[in-house]
Amino acid sequence: MLTLECPYCGVKAEETELQAGGEAHLKRFGPGSSDEDFDGYMFSRKNPKGVHFERWRHSYGCGKWFLAARDTATLEVFGTYPAQSKEPPADLQAKIKAKRPKWEGYK
Amino acid sequence: MSTRLHRGGRLIDRAKPLSFTFNGRRMKGYQGDTLASALLGADQMLLGRSFKYHRPRGLVASGAEEPNALVGLGEGARFEPNQRTTTTELFDGATMASQNHWPSLEFDVGAINNSFGRFLPGGFYYKTFMFPRFAWKHLFEPVIRRSAGLGKVPKDRDADRYEYAYAFADLVVVGGGIAGIAAALEAGKAGKRVLLIEQTAHWGGRAPVDGVEIDGKPADEWVNKTVEILGKMENVTLRLRTMASGLYDHGYLLAYERIADHAPGDGRPRHRLWRIRAGHVVTATGAIERPLSFAGNDIPGVMLAGAVRDYVVNWAVSPGDRTVIVTNNDDAYRTALALVEAGLIVPAVIDARAHVKGALPEAARARGIRVLEGRGIAKVKGGKRVTGVSICAQAGEGAELEFIDCDAVAMSGGWSPVVHLWSHCGGKLVWDEARAMFRPDAARPPTGEDGKAMVTAVGSANGALTADEVLADVAAQIGGKAARTDAAAESALEPVWVMPQGAGPALRMKMWLDPQNDVKVSDVQLAAREGYHSVEHTKRYTTLGMATDQGKLSNINGLAILSDSLSQAIPQTGTTTFRPPYTPISMGAIAGEARGEIFQPLRKSPMDEWHAANGAYFEPVGLWRRPYCYQRPGEGVHEAVNREIGNARSKVGMLDASTLGKLVVKGPDAGKFLDMLYTGVMSTLPVGKCRYGLMCTENGFLSDDGVVVRLSEDTWLCHTTSGGADRIHGWMEDWLQCEWWDWKVYTANLTEEYAQIAVAGPNARKVLEKLGGMDVSAAGLPAMEWREGVLGGCRARIYRISFSGELSYEIAVPASEGLALWKALSAAGEEFGVMPYGTEAMHIMRAEKGFIMIGDETDGTVIPQDLNLNWAISKKKADYLGKRAQERSHMASPERWKLVGLETLDGSVLPDGVYAVAEGVNANGQRNVQGRVTSTYFSPTLGKGIAMGLVRHGPERMGEVLDFPGDGGKVHKARIVDQVFYDKEGAKQNV
Amino acid sequence: MSNAVSALQGKTYAGFATVTEAGLQGMITLRGDLSSAKVKKAVKAAAGVDVPAQRRIVLKDGKGAGWMSPDELLILVPYAEARAAVDALSAALAGEHALVADVSDARAMFRVKGARADQVLMKLCPVDLPSLAEGELRRTRAAQVAAALWKSDRDEFTIVSFRSVASYVFGALETSARPGSEIS
């Protein structure tokens, strides 16, 4: 059972206090978008063995959504950061790259 | 004969005799006994029957690895099957019953399988019961069901209580032997928050039994002294009778504390499940001795050498007068010495090794014990009890060289580290050729959230076998200086997987690998021949290592046999996966406090107490309980519902609507936000007014509905369905936090702040006017508007909204005043015939009016357009959640099923969920369908069945009759009609 | 107002710790920019304390404020004063992007008192209680429902839950406080 530190309230919460929200950094496609773009936004999800970026909500705590970078195979957590992020923080990306040299980036 | 020795027994208190019964026979034991030692001390060697052949089974071990000695323990509400006698402490008045036999333990009909043993090889179940097919149901299954399974299922409600507890520690040390104690001491001195747990009731593990001296003192003394030091450390917590059951991600450790198993009914919880978050875990879980595979090794009286030593030293119990030792290593000589020390006879030590030297064998020889080198046991003689052993050359095929009379055999095939916790979370093992064991591979540990090792295995759990090695290992890995011991050096063991090595089929068929599941050497060899090359497949095929002991004894021997059969090295075969729990834990502990009233949260409205006192027949709505109807004495549920509807339609009814979701949305961008959330436009709603709205998922499907209220220039109140409040609030926050975080909007879930009461019916206005304080006239409070004020002394907000089609007001007051208002309305309404109505009346009245219900008309595949709700969808808006999805070709297709009313031709009620059939069949040969029923009720107002359903081209097919096949071949005929059955003009609510 | 009743009307249970439903308590949710001068001033005026730091709760003379999230405070006042406090806060924050809502009736409050009060919560909440700082407000779950808790006195914890699950929370606290289940 995972523990993740909520970047908003600083609580190291266990999984039962959290709600998982799937892949992070999705771009929304609304009316006027192509079928391909909408399909990608609505249905296509990454399922990597390795580095992954996810949405989590501290639902039994401060109620805030945050993002987490972790390894889906080893469950190592590289870091958590606010949901109001267009992309993972640069220092977090550098940290992951150092630990997982073969990692190809978050996109 | 096994018996209690006159002297000794480091764990028993002879001053405290205890009495217990086994299969109704009264027996005596002592405080400090386990059930097993007490039984053995009372000469009860035969304890049960095996699973498949019903062979007689006795004790093999003295700890968690015991496969046989399982009993039904306790009676009535405290009965529990499969209790391992070796790990349960004796208490006064314990009642035990043996398992797996009929009619009696001594004489068992099932043992007839034993005579046909060669017809029940590995994979027997899979092969035999395949054909003929009918035989499974009528012949095999009933017989197997009666004879299979371990123990009986308890019939009474468990009298005990159980609970969880959460704990946090920098370091959890699992195992209270000398390794664990030494590790805890070092970590404690370093100031870490340490939790040391031990599964038995005693500290010290094996060292005191082995008679080791540590720092010049007997191990017992060292253990007591060190535990005393630990007990005084504020940062160290010690817990006995607590077994680490499983290790999970990020240092999450489950531990099972058996608080009162040894004192049933003393008022304490029986078990406590510790949910521990460990910064790091040290496994000092010791090692388990391996049996040897020789013919007849399952006969009662054949035991592990270490266990024999335990019974003699710890509990002063002799398993037999004459015990033959059979071994491939030095450690078993300690048992020989302990037996002789206790005044018992060891006719010989049968050692498979050709040349036996070293301190321990020499000590045995010095005590006059015969040591037979290069020998093995060809066969054990005996039925329900060992009577002797036939000795052969280990190198040969089993020709008898000598026969030795004995009544017990102590065997040792070497030791296997307990690697379960290490392995639960991905720690890998390495095969140690010299010691013939899998031990933790420190280079591939289980890793935690930081990517670093979260477990360190120390001592015997790490493959160290002597006390010296154990303490040196702790010092090397945890720190500190290792205490000196006087443990004798041991010479190498010689792996022995079959005894004798050249044994033929007849002997191999009697060599038990897994005595609990009756798996023999020959079964594993057969599995290998039949192509089961994966150890996991072999386990399932043969049942090796299944059930309650999970192969603690049989695993290594089994995979060694498999490897040999496949001519590959043991590490190439590998082990089966170690999964939690380490030993079975009680269902009660898993449930914790969640039983009875607090099995799950039950949400209650502020008026719940009144409902309960006034005949409410409750139904669950999400986690809420709501009155389905209010039954009067002698009244059935349906009569009550019909009465409530009739009364609301003709006079006035009141409904507890407090469970409706109430979400406040406020801010400069709140209007813009709600326009994205709802399919309609909410930003233009004037202050003081209400508007019905629909919410869709991004996939376009209808998700929730409700009335939106404009409270002020920048504040809206969104009503949601009762079950949807938390979900929709979360949905709002998700979009605000993760997508439109620059929009200035705040939300708050005020669902529980307000009690809400719907007053509906022709007399509704009169009731409110009688309470007084607010203008609720047609002009003062028109439909779809709201007012705030004081109603009958309560600060209230009244919405003129109707879900019943009647003149209707929904009154919201602070929850704390809800009960008072409810009572005030009841009193004020008395002269106007007011009655409460429940959720079923509400459902039927809304169906009479053709209103949809989320969860009835919607099922996650329905879009608002299907429900003819286009009027609530803005065509002008550029975007709303779900809009893009609804533009997809399938969503816009005219072929989609649309909502219509349905009326049976004979006035009966359509069954719920039935489908309307069409001509022809689909690709699977099933009848084509063209619609289905979504809501169906008996309408007391109209005196007939009414329904709504989704039908292909439905609205264009008014008057058509459809066939709805129901149960039992009956076809219901129903006509497509307008979905509004009652008061189509809406005249009743607009007065 | 005299008609107002709390969820369990002061129900109490004496086990190895005493569990009490604390009765009516004024509670106000304030959402806004906690660093804004206007918010700080309004909070001080309404609650008599400064805006608390992350995860802190500050109580003084029967009033106080707790940090619920980066943009949310829980203001505590006597129940009878809640309405006026809501109006005062709303007036003080006029023109500011903020939300003030009376939640006094949406919640239930409990006190667990006794030398072993922490053990009652240890059985229900996945929280490292020995590490819970004085004046720390922890939002978590109690068994299966959301809860907020803090150490309100020596040997006393205060727990806040939603009102509808008050009897569930009380039941869970009562079960955990039963004599005989003390953790040794």
Side-chain angles (χ1 to χ4, degrees):
Chain A
M1 187 170 57
L2 305 182
T3 47
L4 294 171
E5 186 173 313
C6 172
Y8 291 99
C9 64
V11 163
K12 200 166 167 186
E14 66 163 47
E15 209 170 321
T16 66
E17 297 175 281
L18 302 168
Q19 175 196 342
E23 186 181 328
H25 301 300
L26 294 177
K27 177 175 164 33
R28 178 172 186 262
F29 284 93
S33 57
S34 70
D35 282 353
E36 290 69 29
D37 281 343
F38 183 71
D39 176 82
Y41 157 60
M42 197 67 224
F43 303 112
S44 302
R45 293 291 178 269
K46 292 178 190 142
N47 185 22
K49 182 179 181 181
V51 181
H52 195 34
F53 296 84
E54 296 170 332
R55 287 155 29 87
W56 289 86
R57 187 183 186 206
H58 192 190
S59 50
Y60 279 96
C62 67
K64 295 301 180 197
W65 283 95
F66 63 89
L67 307 181
R70 67 179 184 104
D71 187 312
T72 58
T74 66
L75 307 188
E76 177 173 357
V77 178
F78 303 111
T80 56
Y81 52 102
Q84 296 81 40
S85 309
K86 296 271 187 214
E87 58 174 27
D91 57 340
L92 179 61
Q93 294 199 48
K95 180 181 170 187
I96 297 169
K97 191 73 189 160
K99 289 192 168 204
R100 301 285 189 276
K102 286 183 188 160
W103 177 54
E104 290 171 346
Y106 80 97
K107 277 200 169 146
Chain B
M1 293 283 282
S2 58
T3 188
R4 184 77 67 172
L5 295 164
H6 191 58
R7 269 193 297 275
R10 55 182 281 271
L11 299 182
I12 55 167
D13 181 352
R14 290 181 197 255
K16 290 182 184 152
L18 305 173
S19 75
F20 64 98
T21 66
F22 179 77
N23 286 347
R25 269 178 49 215
R26 258 189 119 63
M27 299 177 177
K28 287 236 178 292
Y30 295 110
Q31 183 82 43
D33 262 326
T34 62
L35 297 177
S37 67
L39 286 162
L40 204 58
D43 192 29
Q44 187 66 45
M45 177 57 92
L46 178 61
L47 291 179
R49 294 267 174 179
S50 66
F51 189 67
K52 196 155 81 177
Y53 303 131
H54 290 220
R55 299 255 303 181
R57 288 285 180 254
L59 275 170
V60 173
S62 58
E65 67 276 25
E66 172 61 39
N68 293 336
L70 308 178
V71 296
L73 179 63
E75 289 174 309
R78 287 211 161 81
F79 171 77
E80 197 164 8
N82 295 318
Q83 294 305 287
R84 201 174 302 94
T85 54
T86 51
T87 55
T88 300
E89 294 164 64
L90 180 68
F91 54 90
D92 203 39
T95 57
M96 286 178 263
S98 54
Q99 305 187 148
N100 296 354
H101 53 73
W102 185 81
S104 78
L105 178 60
E106 296 294 324
F107 175 78
D108 176 60
V109 167
I112 199 158
N113 286 352
N114 190 25
S115 316
F116 297 102
R118 63 198 182 93
F119 302 121
L120 296 171
F124 167 76
Y125 290 96
Y126 299 104
K127 290 168 185 165
T128 310
F129 301 129
M130 288 299 290
F131 303 102
R133 288 226 152 207
F134 74 89
W136 173 254
K137 190 171 175 192
H138 301 289
L139 183 61
F140 302 136
E141 193 184 4
V143 172
I144 289 172
R145 288 253 175 254
R146 210 178 57 161
S147 58
L150 287 168
K152 288 184 193 137
V153 177
K155 291 210 165 58
D156 295 339
R157 185 187 166 91
D158 192 336
D160 282 304
R161 60 196 173 104
Y162 304 82
E163 63 186 26
Y164 296 152
Y166 296 86
F168 296 77
D170 299 326
L171 186 75
V172 178
V173 180
V174 180
I178 57 170
I181 290 170
L185 183 65
E186 277 312 310
K189 281 187 199 161
K192 288 186 177 154
R193 183 147 62 135
V194 178
L195 172 62
L196 172 62
I197 58 176
E198 159 59 35
Q199 62 183 346
T200 72
H202 308 279
W203 300 108
R206 294 209 61 78
V209 181
D210 290 352
V212 179
E213 285 197 349
I214 304 173
D215 274 344
K217 288 187 283 274
D220 259 337
E221 248 178 68
W222 181 88
V223 165
N224 291 342
K225 197 195 77 189
T226 314
V227 167
E228 199 186 315
I229 295 169
L230 287 169
K232 286 180 183 152
M233 291 182 169
E234 290 248 316
N235 54 326
V236 176
T237 305
L238 305 172
R239 242 173 246 300
L240 287 172
R241 300 188 174 102
T242 305
M243 184 229 4
S245 150
L247 179 63
Y248 307 81
D249 312 327
H250 292 188
Y252 183 61
L253 185 77
L254 278 188
Y256 176 62
E257 184 180 9
R258 299 170 68 189
I259 303 169
D261 267 350
H262 61 295
D266 76 347
R268 290 182 291 174
R270 181 168 170 236
H271 300 148
R272 181 178 291 136
L273 193 67
W274 285 93
R275 304 173 66 164
I276 303 162
R277 192 61 72 166
H280 195 82
V281 174
V282 166
T283 56
T285 44
I288 288 176
E289 198 168 23
R290 289 193 295 265
L292 285 166
S293 299
F294 48 83
N297 63 350
D298 71 321
I299 295 170
V302 178
M303 299 171 70
L304 293 170
V308 168
R309 193 151 85 237
D310 284 340
Y311 286 112
V312 171
V313 176
N314 285 339
W315 298 290
V317 169
S318 147
D321 291 353
R322 294 169 58 84
T323 304
V324 165
I325 314 280
V326 54
T327 184
N328 64 348
N329 64 74
D330 280 6
D331 182 66
Y333 287 85
R334 292 198 171 97
T335 300
L337 291 165
L339 287 166
V340 171
E341 187 66 34
L344 298 163
I345 296 159
V346 176
V349 177
I350 319 289
D351 198 319
R353 296 172 294 183
H355 304 287
V356 182
K357 292 194 191 69
L360 285 163
E362 287 315 321
R365 284 178 175 124
R367 297 295 296 261
I369 299 171
R370 242 180 113 202
V371 176
L372 304 179
E373 296 176 321
R375 296 289 179 262
I377 289 178
K379 197 188 281 180
V380 178
K381 283 269 160 60
K384 287 175 201 148
R385 189 68 213 244
V386 172
T387 55
V389 290
S390 174
I391 307 300
C392 64
Q394 167 61 16
E397 295 172 39
E400 181 177 301
L401 302 175
E402 183 183 349
F403 187 85
I404 301 177
D405 287 324
C406 62
D407 50 5
V409 176
M411 61 181 164
S412 179
W415 293 77
S416 300
V418 175
V419 296
H420 296 65
L421 290 176
W422 173 272
S423 303
H424 283 168
C425 227
K428 301 290 184 250
L429 304 174
V430 62
W431 177 250
D432 184 328
E433 194 70 45
R435 295 177 179 227
M437 61 166 69
F438 277 108
R439 58 176 172 76
D441 183 353
R444 294 178 297 163
T447 55
E449 58 183 310
D450 55 0
K452 300 190 179 109
M454 65 175 179
V455 181
T456 304
V458 300
S460 301
N462 193 34
L465 291 181
T466 65
D468 263 338
E469 284 178 10
V470 163
L471 293 175
D473 187 41
V474 172
Q477 296 199 73
I478 308 298
K481 188 168 167 289
R484 277 178 310 101
T485 82
D486 71 338
E490 294 179 26
S491 41
L493 65 61
E494 186 177 299
V496 170
W497 307 119
V498 174
M499 178 175 275
Q501 63 85 25
L507 290 180
R508 294 202 305 261
M509 276 185 64
K510 294 292 178 193
M511 290 179 190
W512 260 257
L513 285 170
D514 181 338
Q516 184 174 82
N517 299 295
D518 275 332
V519 181
K520 299 160 294 174
V521 168
S522 54
D523 296 322
V524 172
Q525 290 171 331
L526 178 67
R529 283 202 300 280
E530 292 185 344
Y532 290 87
H533 294 182
S534 149
V535 64
E536 297 283 5
H537 291 158
T538 301
K539 170 176 173 173
R540 274 77 190 174
Y541 192 57
T542 62
T543 71
L544 175 80
M546 306 246 256
T548 63
D549 68 344
Q550 285 291 299
K552 289 187 180 66
L553 292 185
S554 59
N555 263 339
I556 304 296
N557 288 347
L559 65 92
I561 299 291
L562 182 64
S563 302
D564 179 63
S565 304
L566 299 172
S567 303
Q568 65 188 22
I570 286 173
Q572 210 178 320
T573 305
T575 65
T576 51
T577 308
F578 295 91
R579 293 195 176 86
Y582 174 60
T583 59
I585 64 176
S586 63
M587 298 301 285
I590 293 168
E593 84 292 334
R595 64 190 287 191
E597 291 282 309
I598 54 169
F599 172 66
Q600 66 172 21
L602 182 65
R603 298 178 72 181
K604 294 176 178 174
S605 99
M607 289 82 91
D608 181 85
E609 191 185 305
W610 189 95
H611 303 324
N614 286 273
Y617 172 82
F618 288 104
E619 72 163 343
V621 179
L623 290 174
W624 292 97
R625 70 169 187 182
R626 299 188 69 185
Y628 178 93
C629 63
Y630 301 80
Q631 280 174 279
R632 290 181 170 180
E635 192 179 46
V637 164
H638 294 289
E639 294 168 87
V641 169
N642 292 344
R643 169 180 52 74
E644 289 169 7
I645 293 170
N647 191 71
R649 291 259 183 250
S650 63
K651 294 173 188 156
V652 59
M654 46 195 267
L655 172 82
D656 180 356
S658 305
T659 58
L660 277 182
K662 304 164 204 81
L663 311 176
V664 165
V665 179
K666 181 174 187 281
D669 295 317
K672 177 165 91 169
F673 174 61
L674 293 178
D675 284 350
M676 283 301 294
L677 218 64
Y678 286 93
T679 60
V681 182
M682 294 302 165
S683 55
T684 59
L685 179 64
V687 174
K689 296 210 168 185
C690 310
R691 185 173 287 167
Y692 177 69
L694 306 170
M695 277 186 256
C696 296
T697 63
E698 268 290 67
N699 210 352
F701 299 121
L702 187 51
S703 154
D704 209 85
D705 70 345
V707 171
V708 178
V709 177
R710 183 91 179 251
L711 293 177
S712 70
E713 195 47 43
D714 68 349
T715 311
W716 282 255
L717 174 68
C718 303
H719 286 107
T720 74
T721 58
S722 294
D726 292 334
R727 177 172 55 86
I728 297 300
H729 184 236
W731 175 243
M732 288 178 172
E733 284 294 325
D734 191 349
W735 286 100
L736 288 171
Q737 291 177 34
C738 303
E739 186 72 20
W740 302 310
W741 62 74
D742 51 340
W743 294 12
K744 285 186 152 65
V745 182
Y746 286 124
T747 72
N749 184 352
L750 298 185
T751 301
E752 302 203 10
E753 174 65 14
Y754 299 102
Q756 197 145 318
I757 302 168
V759 181
N763 294 342
R765 185 172 289 136
K766 291 178 196 159
V767 177
L768 267 64
E769 281 172 345
K770 178 150 189 224
L771 270 186
M774 289 178 70
D775 179 4
V776 293
S777 65
L781 179 47
M784 295 307 271
E785 297 199 10
W786 64 270
R787 299 289 182 270
E788 256 175 10
V790 177
L791 181 74
C794 292
R795 48 201 161 117
R797 189 185 290 141
I798 306 182
Y799 311 96
R800 174 101 186 266
I801 50 183
S802 178
F803 196 42
S804 57
E806 297 299 325
L807 169 65
S808 168
Y809 300 89
E810 291 205 9
I811 309 160
V813 296
S816 300
E817 296 171 45
L819 185 59
L821 178 67
W822 181 271
K823 287 177 177 170
L825 284 166
S826 302
E830 198 173 356
E831 63 181 284
F832 308 107
V834 77
M835 275 182 203
Y837 66 93
T839 51
E840 185 64 359
M842 171 190 78
H843 282 147
I844 295 175
M845 286 196 280
R846 68 91 195 170
E848 289 173 343
K849 283 293 294 175
F851 295 142
I852 64 139
M853 190 76 164
I854 298 293
D856 284 336
E857 276 63 45
T858 69
D859 63 356
T861 68
V862 171
I863 58 176
Q865 293 86 341
D866 298 340
L867 304 178
N868 314 321
L869 291 168
N870 302 59
W871 60 268
I873 304 171
S874 164
K875 284 164 199 66
K876 280 183 264 170
K877 288 198 302 188
D879 195 3
Y880 59 82
L881 297 180
K883 183 175 171 72
R884 173 64 185 86
Q886 289 166 359
E887 288 169 353
R888 288 175 293 177
S889 58
H890 179 67
M891 298 296 194
S893 165
E895 296 302 308
R896 288 186 71 84
W897 295 2
K898 287 192 188 294
L899 192 70
V900 290
L902 295 166
E903 233 173 42
T904 52
L905 300 187
D906 60 2
S908 63
V909 179
L910 274 171
D912 206 356
V914 289
Y915 276 76
V917 289
E919 290 307 313
V921 293
N922 67 15
N924 294 323
Q926 298 158 321
R927 188 76 187 265
N928 282 328
V929 290
Q930 55 178 331
R932 65 183 167 86
V933 170
T934 56
S935 288
T936 173
Y937 301 97
F938 174 76
S939 161
T941 312
L942 303 169
K944 62 181 179 184
I946 60 167
M948 285 191 274
L950 292 160
V951 176
R952 183 183 298 131
H953 299 153
E956 299 155 32
R957 297 167 65 184
M958 286 295 152
E960 257 186 65
V961 174
L962 302 178
D963 284 351
F964 292 87
D967 287 342
K970 182 171 165 62
V971 175
H972 304 267
K973 289 193 173 293
R975 180 177 288 118
I976 299 175
V977 297
D978 185 351
Q979 73 193 61
V980 185
F981 294 90
Y982 178 71
D983 186 26
K984 288 188 205 298
E985 307 72 35
K988 289 204 75 180
Q989 67 196 69
N990 290 323
V991 290
Chain C
M1 197 70 76
S2 57
N3 288 329
V5 288
S6 66
L8 303 180
Q9 300 172 39
K11 189 174 179 181
T12 185
Y13 169 77
F16 68 74
T18 302
V19 180
T20 311
E21 192 244 15
L24 293 166
Q25 167 69 50
M27 287 184 243
I28 299 159
T29 287
L30 168 62
R31 294 196 63 183
D33 175 1
L34 304 187
S35 64
S36 107
K38 225 167 165 179
V39 168
K40 287 179 177 171
K41 202 174 151 202
V43 169
K44 183 83 178 179
V49 298
D50 290 329
V51 169
Q54 186 191 52
R55 293 211 314 276
R56 299 284 119 182
I57 179 162
V58 190
L59 298 166
K60 199 179 141 193
D61 304 333
K63 294 184 182 181
W67 189 97
M68 298 289 273
S69 89
D71 59 8
E72 183 179 340
L73 295 181
L74 173 67
I75 310 284
L76 296 168
V77 296
Y79 185 78
E81 295 170 27
R83 197 96 204 274
V86 166
D87 292 344
L89 278 165
S90 302
L93 293 171
E96 175 96 0
H97 173 42
L99 186 158
V100 178
D102 191 344
V103 292
S104 311
D105 289 3
R107 312 239 168 105
M109 188 181 264
F110 303 88
R111 296 234 155 74
V112 180
K113 197 167 180 57
R116 293 171 180 268
D118 58 333
Q119 295 187 358
V120 177
L121 297 179
M122 245 176 105
K123 299 178 187 182
L124 301 173
C125 305
V127 172
D128 187 1
L129 289 168
S131 300
L132 190 77
E134 289 287 327
E136 182 175 353
L137 171 69
R138 178 67 148 89
R139 299 181 73 182
T140 181
R141 63 178 174 82
Q144 300 174 51
V145 297
L149 58 91
W150 65 91
K151 205 166 178 201
S152 43
D153 202 347
R154 206 172 63 87
D155 298 348
E156 185 194 84
F157 286 87
T158 297
I159 300 103
V160 175
S161 77
F162 283 109
R163 181 188 177 110
S164 67
V165 292
S167 56
Y168 170 80
V169 172
F170 191 90
L173 292 169
E174 176 184 333
T175 301
S176 301
R178 269 200 238 154
S181 66
E182 298 89 344
I183 296 172
S184 51

